[in-house]
Amino acid sequence: MTTIEVTPEFPEALTLPEQAKAITITSAETYTQAANFKITLAGWRKKIVDEFAPMKEAAHKAHKAITAKEGEYLKPITEAEATLKAAIVKWQDEQEAIRRAEQRRLELEAQMQRDLERQQREEEALNAAIAEGTEEVYVEPVAYVPPPIAAPTYEAVKGLGITRRWGAEVTDIKKLCRAVADGVVPETYVLPNQVALNQRAAADKQSMTLPGVKAVQR
């Protein structure tokens, strides 16, 4: 192992970082002193790296050999896992298709129920307006109630290591906005593009005319 000797310019009790901090460069002499010390440190660094290099190389070769042997034992397990995973995923996809079909049925049933309730409210509001002799017809909107979630067709086994993360992809923003306007889905499903709206407001100022939006000065 390389032995690091303390430079004679500094007390031996000081560590290398302390020795470096003890140097204050205020002149050409102290600059040279600091530069020489840095060159000395670089030499020590190289000696240490060179001394550990054979051990690191041996450790690297041993790691490669161990990893290769490990791979031989793991290969049949990996192949078996891949076969089972493919079969499990295929069956899960089939079951999820069944669940989604049931979910669509529940959503359609809920939509039909909302439409029926909306129609009843419209008829009641119209009859009330006729009875009162007024032309104003107020129909109380039907509150959106999320449909029940279709339950899975099976109980997932824990510890399989096969996980899926579901996300939503908007395929028709106009349909989604129309559904919000019709009360089919809540307003929280659609967020305005505030950056674009602010840019439009900055350009149009008080003359901006967008449905449901007004320009404000801050």
Side-chain angles (χ1 to χ4, degrees):
M1 179 66 66
T2 300
T3 301
I4 299 178
E5 298 179 358
V6 181
T7 55
E9 292 86 355
F10 300 96
E12 293 188 5
L14 295 180
T15 64
L16 293 177
E18 290 172 338
Q19 292 182 48
K21 292 177 182 178
I23 298 177
T24 302
I25 302 177
T26 58
S27 63
E29 182 181 357
T30 52
Y31 157 75
T32 302
Q33 184 183 32
N36 289 335
F37 186 31
K38 186 178 183 306
I39 293 173
T40 300
L41 292 174
W44 289 342
R45 173 184 294 277
K46 184 178 184 306
K47 289 181 180 179
I48 292 173
V49 171
D50 291 345
E51 185 160 339
F52 277 93
M55 290 181 281
K56 291 168 63 177
E57 179 65 21
H60 178 65
K61 291 181 179 179
H63 178 267
K64 288 180 63 177
I66 294 172
T67 302
K69 180 59 67 174
E70 179 188 44
E72 294 177 8
Y73 284 98
L74 289 178
K75 183 178 180 180
I77 295 176
T78 302
E79 292 178 357
E81 285 179 332
T83 300
L84 290 173
K85 181 179 180 180
I88 290 172
V89 169
K90 181 177 181 296
W91 187 83
Q92 286 179 332
D93 288 344
E94 295 170 350
Q95 298 305 305
E96 178 59 19
I98 295 173
R99 191 201 69 81
R100 285 200 301 267
E102 174 63 13
Q103 183 64 45
R104 287 192 293 270
R105 187 191 68 80
L106 293 174
E107 292 173 356
L108 179 60
E109 186 178 90
Q111 180 62 48
M112 293 174 61
Q113 182 62 33
R114 285 194 299 271
D115 292 343
L116 179 61
E117 186 175 351
R118 185 181 297 109
Q119 182 180 357
Q120 291 176 345
R121 293 188 181 187
E122 290 174 353
E123 293 176 355
E124 292 174 357
L126 180 60
N127 292 334
I130 294 174
E132 296 174 0
T134 179
E135 295 182 357
E136 295 183 1
V137 180
Y138 172 72
V139 180
E140 184 178 355
V142 179
Y144 174 78
V145 178
I149 303 299
T153 60
Y154 66 99
E155 183 176 354
V157 177
K158 296 180 180 179
L160 264 181
I162 302 176
T163 58
R164 296 188 178 188
R165 294 180 176 86
W166 290 92
E169 178 183 351
V170 178
T171 58
D172 193 326
I173 187 64
K174 292 183 178 180
K175 284 186 178 180
L176 179 58
C177 291
R178 189 178 301 114
V180 172
D182 293 341
V184 177
V185 298
E187 297 177 5
T188 53
Y189 281 26
V190 176
L191 294 177
N193 187 335
Q194 198 63 46
V195 174
L197 291 174
N198 288 340
Q199 291 175 347
R200 178 68 178 272
D204 295 352
K205 300 179 176 59
Q206 65 268 21
S207 64
M208 185 178 74
T209 56
L210 290 177
V213 184
K214 68 176 182 178
V216 294
Q217 187 177 26
R218 297 187 179 92

